[in-house]
Structure formats: C-alpha cells, structure tokens
Amino acid sequence: MVGFTTRIVHSDRSSPVEHGSIHKPIHATVAYGYDDVQDLADVFQGNSSGYSYGRQVNPTVSALESQVTLMEKGRQTICFSTGMAAIGTMLFALMRSGDHFVSSSFLFGNTNSLFGSFDVHGIGVSFVDATDVKAVESALTEHTKMVFVETIANPRTQVSDLEAIGALCRDQGIVYIVDNTMTSPYLFQPIDVGASLVVNSLTKYICGHGNALGGAITETGQYDWSSYAHIEEIYKKGDSSKWGMTQIRKKGLRDFGAALGAEAAHHISMGSETLALRLEKQCASAQTLAEFLDNHGKVSKVYYPGLSHHPQFERSAQLFRKPGALFSFELNQESDPFDFLNRLKVVIKSSNLGDNRTLAIPVSQTIYYEMGAARRKEMGIAESLIRISVGIEEVEDLIEDFRTALET
Ligand SMILES: *Cc1c(COP(=O)(O)O)cnc(C)c1O
C-alpha cells in the first residue's frame, strides 16, 4: 500500500483495533489499570511501551500520532492540544536561557508573538528573510541551537529556501524545524529537505472541517541528539535519534500538560482521510481564483506561488505537489477592502484557514493587528492586504462571488 490516501485510511488497522472496528474508537479514559504492578513500573521507567496517564498518552491520540508519522514519512509523532502548544512546548523542552535560534521573519502571527516571549525569557531569536539561505547563515552565532521556518508563509506566501537551509543545518549540526502547516504532508514532506522536526497545526488542512484544534511534532530521525547539549541524562536511552522526542514528551507534554483530547483526535483523524481529495480541489480552485484576480482591474497585487510572477514560483513548483490553497491580494487605491469583504455572500469573513469553506480576512486589522505597523512593514504586510483560504465549493460560485463584490 504505497499511495498517500491508501496508507492513511488503513492506518488504524495496522495495530489491533478492538472488535475489528474500522475506526479507532474514542478512548474516554484518563488512566490505565495493570494486573501486574511490575508492568506498570516498566511503563513508567520507559522499559516497555504502554499507557500510563492521559496527559501523556491515549490510544485514540496514539492512533492519530501513527497516522501523522505515516503522512510525514517520519519516525514518531507527539500530538498536542493546538499547533501553538506544539511549537511552544517543543522549544521549552529543548532550549535553555542563553541559547539562540534563527527564525524566518515571515511567520504565523502567534508564532511571531511566542518567539518574542522566548526572547524576553533569555532565549534569543533573530528574524531573517528565510527565502535566502545567506540571510540564515549570517545570523548564526555560537549559541544557535535551531533554525525555524515555515514552508509557504501565511499570508504573503513567501517560500523558504528549504533545501539550502536544510543543507546548512546539517553541516552545522543545528536542529532544523519546519512548520509544514500551510503545505501539509500531502503537498510536501520536510524530511526530503533534511528537517529534524516537523510541525503541523492539525487544526488546519489535516482536520479540514474547522471542528477541532490540534497540533503535532514529528521527528524525522535525521538529527542525532547525542551531540545536542541539553538532553537530560535520564532520557539518553536507546537510539539517540529519539532522545529529543523523549524529552519533548516528558519535559514538554507531560509537565506542561497541553494534551490533545481523544474526541478532538477522532475528529482530526476523520478529516485526515480526505486530505488529498480536499487539497487537490482547493489548490486547483486557488490557482483559478488567483489568476482571475491577477487579471482584474480592481486588484493591484496577488500573492500566490502558483503565479509565474511570484518570486519563488520555480522553487514552489520544484518542491511542492501544488502551490497551496491560500493566497492574498491587495485592491487598488480606490477600492475599500472592508466594503469589498462585506459584499461577499458565499465567502465567510473568518480567521481560520484550511477549512472546507472559503474564508477571507483583512490581515492588518485582525490577525496582524497586535504586532503593530512597524513589524507589519518588515514582514511585507500592506495595510490593505486580504487573505483568502480557499475551500471546496464549486469554483464558479467563488468567482461569481468575487466578481460581484469587486464590480458592484
Ligand atoms: C494556525 C497555525 C499555527 C497554530 O496552530 P493552532 O492549531 O491554531 O494553534 C501554527 N503555524 C501555522 C503556519 C499556522 O497556520
């Protein structure tokens, strides 16, 4: 079974499922009982795999973790209550004050805010233009432990220099973290560019239905943690390519407690079965809509990696199965973005992305409001920028909605 969807829809049955259920059941339990207390002790001591307490493990969540690992061609995955919990917990578990990391400056807004908080707590961050590996390289210091990038940045769709940054991190022995949320493992698998750890907000494309929050960290097995300074002695057990994840599960998930609930895991797992089908449709519609707007007189700029004038058009075509299902654009000077948005009838004004429904949001006044005008300018966010997350509706209906809103 080699196909992406074939693997996903049959993954629950790769481990024994109670009564032959074709879906992993929702395990609504916090704790697990053992007949022999030695078995319980072995689980606690990491000598055998098993279930200890719901803040660290749950069978429904484990099934989703296996699914995400399959999707990412990884070694293992840890799920969290949200994508932000995944990113924050991972950094907390692996970094110490005095450390430094380099981040793309084209970043999800809350990740940007979170990295600012780490800076306040003594873990320094340099924001650089990650579309060019040279900017990353010149920001490295002797204290740099990690490089963090997104695949396609939201909302301006810059594509990171993923392959060259991977090679740089490998040469320097630096942990390479790729947030794959915008592409999802259907369009791109960061293991192919040497990522050490892969972040996914499960809330977005993987779930797809806008009905559950979740996040995941997947380890690719490409980083050897025996050379990493901050792994605690007790976690240095067995294969050293797994030590980092053991520490994230213990010092991060267990101690911070941002565990994914079994019910949310079930919703996400359901959604993930149609990831490939949804994204094929969403990406095709995004391409059609981006081209329509690009040729419309009332629109001054469109940012989508599938347009030939996009600065990373070729890189995107080379790396990704499709250039994603999100784009952003600016109206010309005379058109008011709020008036335009209020005239849309099918498209919903909402902050999420990756939903089955097409969603639109004015960026500077909402998701990028708190960071202020100066940082927005640095990130290339115009005050009139509108972001569109394309859903699965018939594309003719979407074009008609945009046309009417533009031309009324
Ligand atoms: C949404 C998002 C996150 C955060 O995920 P949540 O599940 O909303 O916490 C992180 N990174 C990217 C690129 C995102 O789009």
Side-chain angles (χ1 to χ4, degrees), residues 10 35-36 38 40 45 90 126 209 270 311:
H10 291 284
D35 290 337
D36 184 339
Q38 185 59 47
L40 178 63
Q45 292 170 20
M90 167 184 65
S126 303
H209 295 66
M270 286 291 85

Side-chain angles (χ1 to χ4, degrees), residues 49 73 124 152 180-181 217 237 298 313 373 380 386 397:
S49 64
K73 299 187 299 198
I152 303 176
N180 197 29
T181 301
I217 304 291
K237 261 189 194 168
K298 291 250 170 100
F313 171 74
I386 293 169
D397 294 331

Side-chain angles (χ1 to χ4, degrees), residues 13 47-48 123 200 205 305 338 344 390 397:
R13 295 193 301 137
N47 300 325
S48 70
I123 296 166
N200 276 289
Y205 293 102
F338 278 39
L344 292 168
V390 179
D397 294 331

Side-chain angles (χ1 to χ4, degrees), residues 82-85 87 108 111 150 154 179 181-182 201-204 213-215 353:
T82 65
M84 287 317 302
I87 298 170
F108 179 63
T111 307
E150 296 180 0
N154 152 26
D179 184 335
T181 301
M182 294 297 295
S201 166
L202 304 173
T203 315
K204 311 290 174 52
L213 290 156
L353 63 90

